[in-house]
């Protein structure tokens, strides 16, 4: 199987950044998320380089929803990343990680008054999802005697090649304002005393393996940018969103890169900006393509059995990685202590959760497996831990970060005490 260069096989063991996954699993126990910081930085820099070579003003914002770990965000902050945050929690994390408020965009399709107050207090730009939200923010900013810079999230009504649950810019999608209603929305924003519309934002979907849809979205954005500029909106940024996919099927999926993205999108964008006579900042918000392949989830085989088919029962289930159960997503799996053994058996790798759907990897060609083997689930750095839960009252596992050849905890594992720490007995039980 093709592997990204931070994953290698030595002495039959899978290694990440040169560190033996089996040693890591023994030291930190399983299940265990292990992330290569170097890989994340490399992916981030590939966006900066590819876009920066073709357009003078570029800001790469990490989509914090993909991986909300503070240490990981700090590594990105130190390289100059901004962040797309989708909740007050993500906003706090991004600020704590050291990302400057001016590099943050507060997105969200259903923000609370408290979210909007926090955005105003911290001085971050807000991407508005409705006219209702515009007027709420105007009132909140007025009460705080501040003027808030905003964009609207534009719904471009584009069909994109991805799972329907993660296509976000369909005509019927819950996100954003229909593109044909966008000029009217900005007119209304211009009339608000405490609002300064300075950007436009869109996001068409996630896990998109072709670059052409992003160029189509850019076409819509530059068309609207022209209309808005003529209307008197002074555009400071245009945010084209995230969405570039990664090859989860290592040997067969296309492998679009930041370079492919930039080569297809920037010409459309630049021509559009030239036609408007403006040079706003170009913002992008990648999540998955920055962090997904940086991470392996190491899980121990508790038992194997031969029933209707052969099962390998492991200690990580959809409590730690919900993507297969939620989107039928495919993740490559490698038996990390038999990484170069012949694939002469077939197993369905199942988690420990009491649900029929708790299947990590169905019907995979793998070596003969025994209890105690360690299975690495690949490409789990995006929407892995971030979407985990404590279902079946299972404490979440730790996360380890690797920098060069150093490994360190970036989140300790939860304990049973953590499960009950926030529970209370109501007065009649005390
Ligand atoms: N910006 C906005 C406004 C978004 O809604 C998203 C993702 C991103 C950026 C980042 O997109 P990315 O570069 O990661 O594709 N949980 C799903 C993915 C949901 C994506 C939602 N929005 C999964 O595991 O596949």
């Amino acid at each position: 199987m093709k592997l990204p260069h931070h994953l290698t096989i030595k002495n039959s063991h899978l290694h990440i950044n040169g560190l033996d996954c089996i040693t890591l699993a023994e030291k930190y126990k399983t299940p265990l998320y292990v992330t290569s910081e170097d890989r994340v930085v490399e992916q981030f820099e590939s966006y900066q380089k590819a876009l920066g070579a073709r357009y003078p003003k570029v800001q790469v914002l990490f989509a914090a929803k993909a991986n909300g770990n503070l240490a990981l965000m700090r590594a990105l902050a130190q390289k100059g990343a901004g962040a797309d945050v989708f909740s007050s929690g993500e906003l706090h994390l991004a600020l704590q990680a050291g990302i400057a408020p001016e590099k943050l965009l507060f997105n969200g399709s259903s923000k609370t008054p408290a979210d909007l107050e926090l955005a105003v207090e911290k001085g971050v730009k807000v991407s508005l999802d409705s006219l209702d939200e515009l007027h709420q923010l105007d009132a909140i900013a007025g009460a705080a005697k501040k003027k808030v810079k905003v964009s609207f999230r534009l719904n471009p009504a584009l069909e994109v090649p991805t799972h329907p649950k993660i296509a976000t810019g369909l005509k019927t999608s819950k996100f954003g304002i229909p593109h044909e209603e966008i000029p009217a929305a900005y007119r209304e924003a211009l009339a608000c005393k405490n609002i300064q519309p300075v950007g436009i934002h869109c996001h068409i979907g996630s896990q998109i393996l072709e670059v052409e849809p992003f160029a189509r979205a850019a076409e819509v954005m530059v068309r609207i940018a022209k209309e808005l500029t003529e209307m008197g909106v002074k555009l400071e940024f245009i945010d084209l969103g995230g969405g570039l996919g990664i090859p989860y099927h290592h040997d067969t999926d296309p492998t679009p890169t930041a370079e492919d993205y930039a080569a297809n999108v920037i010409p459309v964008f630049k021509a559009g900006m030239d036609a408007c006579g403006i040079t706003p900042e170009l913002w992008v918000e990648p999540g998955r393509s920055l962090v997904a392949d940086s991470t392996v989830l190491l899980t121990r085989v508790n038992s194997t059995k031969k029933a209707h088919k052969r099962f390998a029962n492991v200690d990580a289930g959809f409590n730690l990685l919900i993507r297969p159960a939620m989107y039928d997503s495919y993740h490559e799996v490698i038996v990390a202590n038999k990484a170069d053994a012949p694939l002469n058996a077939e197993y369905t790798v199942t988690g420990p959760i009491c649900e029929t759907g708790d299947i990590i990897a169905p019907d995979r060609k793998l070596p003969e497996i025994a209890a105690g083997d360690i299975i690495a689930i690949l490409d789990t750095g995006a929407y892995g831990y971030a979407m985990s839960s404590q279902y079946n009252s299972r404490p979440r596992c730790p996360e380890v970060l690797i920098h060069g050849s150093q490994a360190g905890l970036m989140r300790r594992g939860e304990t049973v005490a953590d499960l009950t720490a926030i529970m209370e007995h109501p007065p009649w039980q005390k």
Side-chain angles (χ1 to χ4, degrees):
M1 178 198 310
K2 278 192 227 155
L3 291 176
H5 65 90
H6 61 293
L7 297 179
T8 50
I9 295 169
K10 265 186 278 175
N11 306 326
S12 303
H13 287 188
L14 181 68
H15 289 61
I16 175 163
N17 265 34
L19 299 183
D20 189 334
C21 287
I22 304 308
T23 312
L24 290 166
E26 278 161 6
K27 176 163 178 196
Y28 295 100
K29 310 288 179 260
T30 60
L32 180 71
Y33 272 103
V34 185
T35 296
S36 163
E37 179 184 314
D38 303 357
R39 179 61 172 177
V40 173
V41 167
E42 180 186 349
Q43 300 288 35
F44 173 74
E45 288 178 338
S46 75
Y47 270 98
Q48 274 188 321
K49 186 163 167 261
L51 296 168
R54 294 172 171 89
Y55 188 74
K57 294 199 251 167
V58 169
Q59 179 62 56
V60 182
L61 286 79
F62 171 51
K65 70 207 71 168
N67 190 320
N69 191 290
L70 201 51
L72 194 75
M73 267 196 244
R74 174 151 303 169
L76 285 166
Q78 286 168 347
K79 296 293 168 189
D84 138 41
V85 298
F86 216 80
S87 69
S88 289
E90 288 181 5
L91 175 57
H92 280 295
L93 278 168
L95 290 171
Q96 209 177 323
I99 300 178
E102 59 271 18
K103 293 183 179 179
L104 295 176
L105 185 64
F106 198 147
N107 287 316
S109 53
S110 180
K111 304 185 197 76
T112 63
D115 291 333
L116 298 174
E117 279 160 17
L118 184 71
V120 171
E121 182 200 324
K122 300 293 181 190
V124 304
K125 296 177 192 73
V126 179
S127 186
L128 296 165
D129 205 273
S130 65
L131 292 177
D132 196 356
E133 195 177 73
L134 165 71
H135 294 294
Q136 289 178 29
L137 182 63
D138 188 31
I140 288 169
K145 301 200 172 24
K146 288 195 180 167
K147 195 152 183 152
V148 182
K149 292 189 170 185
V150 304
S151 57
F152 279 102
R153 177 159 174 173
L154 171 158
N155 180 335
L158 286 182
E159 301 277 337
V160 292
T162 190
H163 190 288
K165 280 191 183 160
I166 55 174
T168 54
L170 304 174
K171 194 172 183 175
T172 52
S173 162
K174 73 167 183 173
F175 298 107
I177 298 201
H179 60 97
E180 61 277 11
E181 292 169 25
I182 280 281
Y186 279 81
R187 228 170 274 126
E188 209 158 321
L190 285 170
C192 290
K193 244 177 89 202
N194 311 301
I195 297 288
Q196 188 187 354
V198 296
I200 330 173
H201 173 223
C202 81
H203 180 72
I204 56 173
S206 196
Q207 185 51 15
I208 298 169
L209 287 168
E210 296 164 25
V211 288
E212 182 271 334
F214 298 105
R216 271 194 285 143
E219 276 166 19
V220 177
M221 293 291 271
V222 300
R223 180 166 52 72
I224 299 283
K226 183 124 198 300
E227 243 180 283
L228 298 183
T229 304
E230 285 164 3
M231 191 195 285
V233 177
K234 302 255 172 299
L235 288 173
E236 294 177 9
F237 73 90
I238 296 184
D239 183 339
L240 297 180
L244 196 60
I246 68 133
Y248 284 105
H249 293 84
H250 281 205
D251 293 332
T252 51
D253 275 345
T255 54
T257 61
E259 194 58 32
D260 300 329
Y261 176 92
N264 280 273
V265 171
I266 297 281
V268 176
F269 183 74
K270 211 163 165 297
M273 293 308 104
D274 289 347
C276 298
I278 56 171
T279 316
E281 290 185 13
L282 166 62
W283 288 13
V284 290
E285 301 174 342
R288 186 190 315 271
S289 52
L290 295 190
V291 294
D293 80 357
S294 69
T295 301
V296 294
L297 172 55
L298 301 179
T299 179
R300 184 180 177 278
V301 178
N302 286 325
S303 55
T304 62
K305 81 173 168 194
K306 168 106 183 59
H308 160 68
K309 50 188 179 178
R310 293 177 86 183
F311 291 101
N313 303 312
V314 300
D315 62 8
F318 78 51
N319 52 324
L320 293 177
L321 180 68
I322 203 168
R323 303 193 68 257
M326 191 151 173
Y327 317 109
D328 290 319
S329 304
Y330 181 96
H331 286 261
E332 301 283 7
V333 292
I334 294 181
V335 182
N337 54 316
K338 299 174 178 169
D340 52 7
L343 309 179
N344 51 13
E346 186 172 292
Y347 290 92
T348 288
V349 181
T350 61
I353 298 298
C354 184
E355 297 252 359
T356 307
D358 187 27
I359 290 174
I360 295 284
D363 308 319
R364 295 296 174 84
K365 294 268 176 280
L366 291 169
E368 289 292 336
I369 293 178
D373 284 347
I374 303 290
I375 292 185
I377 310 167
L378 305 194
D379 306 312
T380 48
Y383 310 109
Y385 193 102
M387 294 177 80
S388 64
S389 74
Q390 295 173 330
Y391 186 39
N392 276 179
S393 293
R394 287 182 174 272
R396 291 182 183 83
C397 71
E399 293 183 290
V400 162
L401 189 64
I402 302 185
H403 174 80
S405 58
Q406 282 174 274
L409 270 186
M410 63 171 172
R411 177 153 22 205
R412 70 163 170 82
E414 291 172 340
T415 63
V416 174
D418 289 317
L419 297 182
T420 53
I422 58 169
M423 296 184 192
E424 304 257 359
H425 287 285
W428 64 91
Q429 287 185 358
K430 279 184 182 153

